[in-house]
Amino acid sequence: MSANEKIRITAHDLMELHVEALFTHDRNMRLRTINEPWPGETPAPQFFLGRTVEGTTVCRFRYDLPEQLVEQMKLLCADEPLVTDFRTKPKHLTSYMRLLQGERFTMGPCFLIPREAEPTMQVVSVTRENMLNYLHGGFEWLISEIDYAQPCIALVIGNRAVSICRSVRITSRAHEAGLETLETFRGRGYAAEVVAGWAKAVREVGAIPLYSTFWENSASQSVARKLALNFYGVNFTIL
C-alpha cells in the first residue's frame, strides 16, 4: 500500500468496500443477494462477519433474520479480537452457528492489491470486440459473461488465453477479482501477472482492486504472497 493510500483508507474501510461489493443490500443495510454482475439472482448468506487487522468488525445480516436475533449477534461481533492469522476462526463461531442453525460456513483472507503490483509479462484486455481471438481452448464459457466481467485481463500464449483475471463483484468504489488459469498452465506464475494487470485496469476506471479467497485455497494464497498483497482482514459467512 502506498503512503497516500494508507492515509486515505483503513482496514475497516476496505472491509466495508468488500462486503458491499460481495452483496446487494436494502435500505437498512441488510443483505439481499450475491452481487453478481451478470443476470440472475442468488440469495445472500444469512450472516457476514469481517474481522480486520485493526481489531474492528463489519457485520451484516440477511433481510429475513429477526431483529432480536440480529441484536444478539451484534453483541458477539463486537467482542471479536483483531486477526493476525487468516486461519483463526471467529471467537464466537459456535454461538453464531447455533443461533442461525447454520450447517456450513466459509472463511478466508482479504487483500488490497497495492499500486506497486505491476505485470512483468505482456497481458491483454479481453472485450467483446476481441474475445473470439482469445477465448477458445478452455475459456469459451466466459464469452456469455464478457460484457459483465470488465475489466478482464488475460495472459495469452499462441493466441489463446491461458490465465484470466476479471471483475466478478463490482461497485462504483471497488471491484473484486475472479481468477482462473487453465490447469495445464498452472504453476508458471501466470496468475500473478493477470492479477497485477487487472488491478491496474481497475484503478484506471477509478475503483479499488480487492482480492479475497478461501482459507483452504493454497494456490490463490500463493498469488497473494507473490504480489505482496496487503492483508487487511478475514471474511466469514454462514450460509
Side-chain angles (χ1 to χ4, degrees), residues 63-227:
Y63 70 95
D64 55 353
L65 292 179
E67 191 63 33
Q68 183 176 1
L69 174 61
V70 168
E71 292 303 317
Q72 188 176 357
M73 291 191 63
K74 283 182 178 178
L75 293 175
L76 296 174
C77 294
D79 186 48
E80 291 287 345
L82 64 82
V83 291
T84 57
D85 186 334
F86 67 81
R87 292 162 293 192
T88 303
K89 294 177 182 177
K91 175 181 177 180
H92 299 292
L93 171 62
T94 301
S95 295
Y96 298 141
M97 298 296 285
R98 175 179 54 80
L99 288 167
L100 293 174
Q101 299 180 356
E103 297 182 356
R104 188 161 65 92
F105 68 86
T106 68
M107 187 176 77
C110 304
F111 304 93
L112 169 68
I113 304 175
R115 292 183 182 275
E116 293 78 9
E118 289 275 350
T120 59
M121 302 179 189
Q122 184 175 358
V123 295
V124 300
S125 176
V126 181
T127 65
R128 172 161 292 278
E129 288 69 31
N130 66 8
M131 65 181 181
L132 296 181
N133 296 332
Y134 303 124
L135 301 182
H136 54 87
F139 277 112
E140 292 87 351
W141 57 268
L142 186 53
I143 290 174
S144 63
E145 300 176 7
I146 197 66
D147 289 337
Y148 308 106
Q150 294 294 325
C152 178
I153 302 298
L155 191 143
V156 175
I157 295 178
N159 292 323
R160 173 193 182 195
V162 299
S163 185
I164 283 178
C165 186
R166 69 202 194 283
S167 295
V168 293
R169 305 286 182 265
I170 300 170
T171 68
S172 61
R173 298 195 295 166
H175 290 210
E176 280 277 347
L179 176 62
E180 300 279 349
T181 301
L182 298 181
E183 186 172 357
T184 55
F185 291 89
R186 293 173 186 169
R188 305 185 191 184
Y190 297 159
E193 296 295 322
V194 294
V195 169
W198 171 82
K200 184 176 181 180
V202 168
R203 291 189 186 280
E204 287 173 353
V205 299
I208 294 174
L210 302 177
Y211 181 96
S212 59
T213 187
F214 295 113
W215 70 272
E216 67 269 32
N217 191 336
S218 58
S220 187
Q221 293 159 28
S222 177
V223 172
R225 289 192 298 271
K226 183 170 184 178
L227 290 174

